Amino acid sequence: MCDFSISDKFIDFYRNNFSWDIIAAMTAAHPHLAAPIDAILTTRQAAHELGVSISTAQLWMESGALASWKTPGGHRRCRLSEVARLQSSGQGGATAPRAETLAQEFIKPLTATYPMLESEQRRLKALAASGLIDSPPDPLFDRLTWLASHMTGCPMALMSLLTSERQWFKSRVGLEAAQTPRDAAFCSHAILSPEGMVIEDAWADERFARNPLVLSEPYIRFYAGIPVTDRQSNRLGTLCVLDAVPRQLTDDQHRALKELAALVSDEISRAK
């Protein structure tokens, strides 16, 4: 608590006596002044100085709009000078992003019951920008999804997109549901690797043996998913195939799924 109290006093003193432009200029021109002037701020302190909510400040830190780092305990910290640059118009062209442009499902949760990429916030922001979530059916994606089912011999195929709250199916074959909760999504695991993931028998994998999508409709036993990406290689979701019985893909079937996922990615990149 002592460290935070000292930082608050420094913040108050310099904020009350100097403009943000002057603070930024002082720390840039005189690095030796950085220790006393350029206080380390918590997310709460940064939010207070920026006049935004803590969740918004956290989002800006995670997205890189407000330069920050993580402590060994996993907490975000930033410098007072970075807040000054964000606040000051004309400081390197830095402008504060508008928090209202991102719905809650495009904001990385503080904790989650599913695995996440290190770049999860960037991925979610890219997904929001793509405009794909809840968009109308697309005949091209539907053709590629049908081909994935046909070429692998799997009765179910999906183009799945992952928000922080749900996996939504832009296209689907053999499945009635239009979405599922994110924490039940096999695809959350598949996007962790650019190569995707194959599960030949979900009952034999402790990660999925008790998954509600395994124990109830659609009774998944087999899963194969390849990430689909945007122009910046953000893994927005997967093209995946499923079956209610254990199985394997031949080399040709696996190659076909990869090629079809690449076509989906090409279309996503072309549309942005």
Side-chain angles (χ1 to χ4, degrees):
M1 294 298 295
C2 180
D3 289 340
F4 296 127
S5 175
I6 292 173
S7 294
D8 284 337
K9 289 179 180 178
F10 276 123
I11 295 167
D12 289 338
F13 173 80
Y14 286 102
R15 182 186 59 191
N16 293 333
N17 290 277
F18 302 100
S19 70
W20 284 115
D21 292 315
I22 292 175
I23 293 174
M26 289 172 67
T27 55
H30 304 285
H32 65 281
L33 295 177
I37 294 179
D38 206 6
I40 296 175
L41 309 188
T42 65
T43 305
R44 175 187 64 78
Q45 291 169 326
H48 175 72
E49 296 307 312
L50 290 164
V52 299
S53 68
I54 293 175
S55 61
T56 297
Q58 180 184 6
L59 171 60
W60 293 353
M61 288 177 169
E62 293 284 356
S63 67
L66 178 59
S68 65
W69 69 93
K70 278 187 176 181
T71 67
H75 302 292
R76 284 282 173 182
R77 297 288 185 267
C78 69
R79 289 283 184 180
L80 178 60
S81 59
E82 293 300 327
V83 171
R85 290 186 182 94
L86 197 61
Q87 285 282 67
S88 302
S89 59
Q91 290 293 319
T95 56
R98 295 184 178 273
E100 62 269 21
T101 61
L102 285 182
Q104 186 62 40
E105 67 177 325
F106 298 114
I107 297 176
K108 178 182 177 182
L110 292 176
T111 60
T113 55
Y114 52 81
M116 292 186 290
L117 291 161
E118 284 292 323
S119 58
E120 180 68 3
Q121 183 55 61
R122 185 180 67 192
R123 189 194 70 78
L124 288 168
K125 186 177 180 181
L127 178 59
S130 75
L132 287 167
I133 293 295
D134 294 329
S135 61
D138 186 311
L140 177 56
F141 289 136
D142 288 342
R143 292 189 194 103
L144 294 172
T145 304
W146 181 87
L147 282 170
S149 173
H150 180 74
M151 297 178 75
T152 62
C154 291
M156 295 173 279
L158 307 167
M159 177 183 165
S160 174
L161 301 170
L162 299 166
T163 77
S164 65
E165 299 173 353
R166 55 181 170 141
Q167 64 168 349
W168 179 75
F169 307 133
K170 173 65 176 174
S171 179
R172 64 191 190 276
V173 170
L175 191 68
E176 289 296 323
Q179 62 185 29
T180 74
R182 173 73 186 270
D183 56 11
F186 280 56
C187 298
S188 289
H189 298 260
I191 66 170
L192 297 179
S193 166
E195 298 301 315
M197 179 182 74
V198 176
I199 302 296
E200 295 179 355
D201 186 355
W203 285 7
D205 192 311
E206 63 180 11
R207 293 173 297 174
F208 306 109
R210 297 184 179 181
N211 187 294
L213 302 180
V214 174
L215 299 177
S216 59
E217 291 286 350
Y219 297 104
I220 298 171
R221 291 290 295 276
F222 171 81
Y223 171 94
I226 306 296
V228 295
T229 63
D230 65 4
R231 190 178 303 151
Q232 287 73 40
S233 298
N234 293 297
R235 301 170 203 161
L236 306 185
T238 74
L239 180 66
C240 61
V241 292
L242 310 91
D243 205 334
V245 297
R247 60 176 299 163
Q248 295 178 330
L249 293 182
T250 67
D251 290 343
D252 284 346
Q253 288 173 331
H254 198 189
R255 170 69 183 275
L257 185 60
K258 285 185 175 181
E259 294 295 339
L260 290 170
L263 290 174
V264 171
S265 297
D266 288 346
E267 185 60 23
I268 291 173
S269 297
R270 187 176 298 112
K272 287 189 67 177

